[in-house]
Amino acid sequence: MAKKSSKNTAAQAVEIAEKPVEVKPEPAAEIRVAPKKKILFVASEAAPFIATGGLAEVIGSLSKAIARSDDYDVRVIIPLYQDIRKEYRKDFRYIGNLYVPLAWRNQYCGIFEYRADRVTYYFVDNEYYFKRSGCYGYYDDGERFAFFCRSVMEILGFIGFYPDVLHCHDWQAALAAIYLKTIYCHRPEYQFIRAVFTIHNIEYQGQYSLDILGDLFGLSEHDRHFVEYDHCINLMKGAIEVCEAFSTVSPSYAQEIKDPFYAHGLDPIIRRNEFKLTGILNGIDPDYYDPATDPALFANYSAEDPENKRICKEELQKMLGLPVKPDTPIIAMISRLVGHKGLDLVRAVIEDALREDIQFIVLGTGDSAYEAFFIDLARKYQGKVVSVISFNADLSRKIYSGADIFLMPSKSEPCGLSQMISSRYGAVALVRETGGLKDSITPYGAGGNGFTFNRYNAHDMLYVIGEAIGVYHMKDEWARLVKKAMETDFSWSVSAKYYEGLYLSVLK
Ligand code: GLC
């Protein structure tokens, strides 16, 4: 039997529209607004309050990006370190205190709150653990972050905020997920909280002697199997085991950590839990890193109007005591001076590169052997090489804006933010194809936004440095490449959606 056609013709549509529309007020009870999804970020640092590296920037900018959506209530919790910036601290609001059980201890825990950009931040106060300079590097870091994680669990009850997703970052927050799934999951309010764990760097896993399982971490023998690995307690491993999903900060790194070359011993655990692993590329905050408005720069410029970048270069050369040479490419590195940043490649061939007419600037601190190497290099090549052994945010922005080529030859790089910042400031990135470097920088030869090399080999890097210098001297071509780098979208707009997808997948 033929069905009656229900096609709407244009004429029908007009007829329908012209009928008076009957407006029936809906009873209030029937208007339903979907509840916001509650996300709690647990981390050991967050910009702008305290930052020792990329983790803090990601916590600061990702939380803001997700909170922009009306569907999410995003909160962040970190320790109240002594070094939290004063200009923020004075506006923190004290909301109460409680005592937190940690094995046989019972420790004071004050809670402070601060709101900005639709995100609520909580700060965990305990002077015994956190009134020290810096964030890490103390003999009792295990105990300090165990206290922090146990406090997070207790604070949820105290403030009556039970998140849908507890999103823990790196080993310092791993115990929050572990406590949730061992000690707290039996309590009705905690029962439906899902745990997501993000690895920002697999090198730091939180490894401790098994002797302190109960005495310090307050875990029972029954739960030992979650955290035990390689005859130690391994907190990162524990979080991977208990969480509903885990992620890394770039898709390539998610693949790489299945391989022993990158995994620092955790590859069997990663492979076994691969079914719940995703890689999501970090973004940067494009307003915070904007050469058009950045007050740290000698002059402001943009992709549309890059002229003033010349001033930034000239002033940088003057400031660092380099000859002012507008047509000599400046190659810069801003990096922690540690092994996995690829510094042995630089050490092997930088003197070959310095035969060319270039200037080379290094900014960073780290292993004393690398610091000494760069200090010696600057002494030997005065007027060509400048090494600034310090952590200096203001100078870093002046270098991003004044440099032409930004070198980042990492042996491994979970994501890396500097290559994105440098691109945005028109310092074309030259990177090794690993982790997030591979996912954010594509080779010039293939129409991309930078220069890349694949093998961890000093002469491969040297060859590409030569290529970059060659392109630099083709004025129009270089200007096009700089524009392309500056226009690449490194904002959170895409990646924040992937995180939302990840949250929805664990909430199903
Ligand atoms: C770690 C990683 C770095 C990443 C950052 C933020 O510091 O080493 O590659 O960009 O975390 O996720």
Side-chain angles (χ1 to χ4, degrees):
M1 217 172 66
K3 259 192 175 172
K4 217 177 154 192
S5 161
S6 63
K7 254 197 262 166
N8 255 349
T9 63
Q12 266 174 323
V14 171
E15 204 179 300
I16 293 166
E18 278 170 2
K19 275 193 187 155
V21 185
E22 222 180 288
V23 184
K24 265 202 211 149
E26 294 215 8
E30 280 184 21
I31 302 175
R32 291 222 178 90
V33 181
K36 289 189 181 215
K37 297 196 172 51
K38 293 175 278 187
I39 314 292
L40 179 66
F41 281 40
V42 185
S44 55
E45 44 184 285
F49 312 104
I50 183 129
T52 70
L55 168 67
E57 295 208 21
V58 170
I59 300 302
S61 54
L62 172 61
S63 55
K64 260 179 16 185
I66 294 183
R68 244 173 247 141
S69 151
D70 285 333
D71 300 338
Y72 289 90
D73 174 355
V74 183
R75 309 194 187 188
V76 175
I77 187 161
I78 66 169
L80 184 72
Y81 303 104
Q82 165 189 293
D83 290 351
I84 294 232
R85 287 167 59 185
K86 303 277 176 301
E87 68 262 42
Y88 293 102
R89 198 174 178 138
K90 67 177 175 20
D91 294 326
F92 291 178
R93 193 173 70 89
Y94 171 76
I95 57 174
N97 74 69
L98 62 157
Y99 277 78
V100 170
L102 181 64
W104 48 266
R105 301 164 191 79
N106 209 20
Q107 304 285 45
Y108 170 87
C109 165
I111 315 163
F112 287 81
E113 187 196 63
Y114 178 82
R115 287 190 196 169
D117 300 308
R118 302 163 64 112
V119 178
T120 303
Y121 300 88
Y122 298 108
F123 300 86
V124 174
D125 179 31
N126 175 299
E127 295 196 346
Y128 168 65
Y129 289 126
F130 302 124
K131 196 174 178 185
R132 311 180 189 185
S133 74
C135 299
Y136 321 110
Y138 291 96
Y139 76 98
D140 58 348
D141 279 358
E143 181 178 332
R144 296 169 73 221
F145 291 102
F147 165 75
F148 168 62
C149 291
R150 194 69 204 253
S151 300
V152 171
M153 288 295 107
E154 291 289 319
I155 287 171
L156 301 186
F158 186 84
I159 60 176
F161 175 80
Y162 299 99
D164 296 296
V165 177
L166 186 78
H167 189 167
C168 305
H169 297 261
D170 271 353
W171 77 262
Q172 293 89 348
L175 272 167
I178 298 166
Y179 289 147
L180 173 68
K181 299 296 175 182
T182 52
I183 302 172
Y184 289 82
C185 62
H186 310 293
R187 305 189 190 173
E189 307 88 343
Y190 292 78
Q191 207 175 323
F192 296 106
I193 303 178
R194 303 282 186 262
V196 170
F197 181 65
T198 293
I199 300 174
H200 292 261
N201 194 336
I202 204 167
E203 191 174 342
Y204 310 106
Q205 301 172 0
Q207 284 155 297
Y208 293 94
S209 160
L210 276 166
D211 299 340
I212 56 176
L213 181 81
D215 181 54
L216 206 148
F217 294 127
L219 290 168
S220 74
E221 276 301 314
H222 177 75
D223 295 323
R224 169 188 174 133
H225 67 281
F226 287 127
V227 292
E228 181 168 9
Y229 188 59
D230 218 4
H231 313 295
C232 285
I233 291 174
N234 186 315
L235 299 177
M236 184 173 270
K237 181 258 184 188
I240 294 170
E241 298 283 15
V242 300
C243 67
E244 270 81 20
F246 72 115
S247 69
T248 64
V249 289
S250 69
S252 290
Y253 195 60
Q255 294 303 321
E256 287 170 352
I257 57 171
K258 294 178 211 162
D259 184 313
F261 181 83
Y262 291 99
H264 294 270
L266 272 189
D267 46 297
I269 303 299
I270 304 292
R271 286 195 300 272
R272 188 150 57 74
N273 288 281
E274 194 185 332
F275 67 97
K276 49 180 184 178
L277 170 63
T278 40
I280 303 176
L281 190 66
N282 284 335
I284 55 172
D285 181 338
D287 301 327
Y288 185 60
Y289 292 112
D290 186 356
T293 55
D294 191 336
L297 305 196
F298 290 112
N300 292 110
Y301 57 93
S302 63
E304 293 70 46
D305 186 7
E307 190 42 40
N308 280 351
K309 187 165 163 68
R310 295 181 71 81
I311 302 177
C312 294
K313 177 168 178 176
E314 190 183 315
E315 293 299 323
L316 180 68
Q317 287 171 323
K318 282 187 200 158
M319 181 182 171
L320 296 179
L322 290 166
V324 174
K325 289 187 176 176
D327 297 323
T328 296
I330 297 182
I331 303 180
M333 289 188 81
I334 300 175
S335 175
R336 277 189 298 130
L337 303 178
V338 294
H340 79 92
K341 294 293 180 183
L343 300 171
D344 40 355
L345 301 191
V346 178
R347 187 157 55 184
V349 295
I350 190 67
E351 297 201 47
D352 294 302
L354 284 166
R355 291 209 191 98
E356 303 269 346
D357 179 27
I358 61 166
Q359 295 177 342
F360 182 61
I361 300 172
V362 177
L363 171 65
T365 58
D367 293 351
S368 53
Y370 288 121
E371 291 185 352
F373 170 76
F374 285 115
I375 291 169
D376 284 349
L377 192 74
R379 243 181 240 139
K380 190 165 166 193
Y381 291 88
Q382 279 185 24
K384 254 191 129 162
V385 176
V386 173
S387 302
V388 184
I389 305 301
S390 81
F391 178 82
N392 183 330
D394 180 74
L395 180 58
S396 74
R397 285 162 180 254
K398 291 185 167 70
I399 295 175
Y400 285 125
S401 63
D404 299 293
I405 297 165
F406 188 80
L407 181 60
M408 208 164 163
S410 305
K411 192 175 203 172
S412 74
E413 195 61 70
C415 178
L417 303 175
S418 313
Q419 79 281 11
M420 302 186 193
I421 303 168
S422 77
S423 299
R424 183 139 170 81
Y425 284 67
V428 176
L430 193 162
V431 306
R432 188 171 95 81
E433 290 165 21
T434 182
L437 298 176
K438 183 175 173 188
D439 297 336
S440 57
I441 304 299
T442 46
Y444 164 75
N449 58 357
F451 296 92
T452 73
F453 62 100
N454 179 252
R455 285 190 310 158
Y456 191 67
N457 176 296
H459 285 89
D460 286 7
M461 178 183 81
L462 183 63
Y463 179 84
V464 179
I465 292 178
E467 185 194 356
I469 295 171
V471 180
Y472 174 83
H473 289 298
M474 302 180 339
K475 285 246 146 62
D476 293 345
E477 194 55 23
W478 188 257
R480 263 197 294 281
L481 179 57
V482 168
K483 188 166 187 335
K484 181 151 204 164
M486 291 185 75
E487 283 177 343
T488 310
D489 181 5
F490 292 118
S491 73
W492 277 104
S493 54
V494 177
S495 297
K497 289 275 166 269
Y498 280 112
Y499 275 105
E500 289 175 25
L502 180 62
Y503 298 150
L504 294 179
S505 73
V506 296
L507 289 173
K508 257 190 213 154

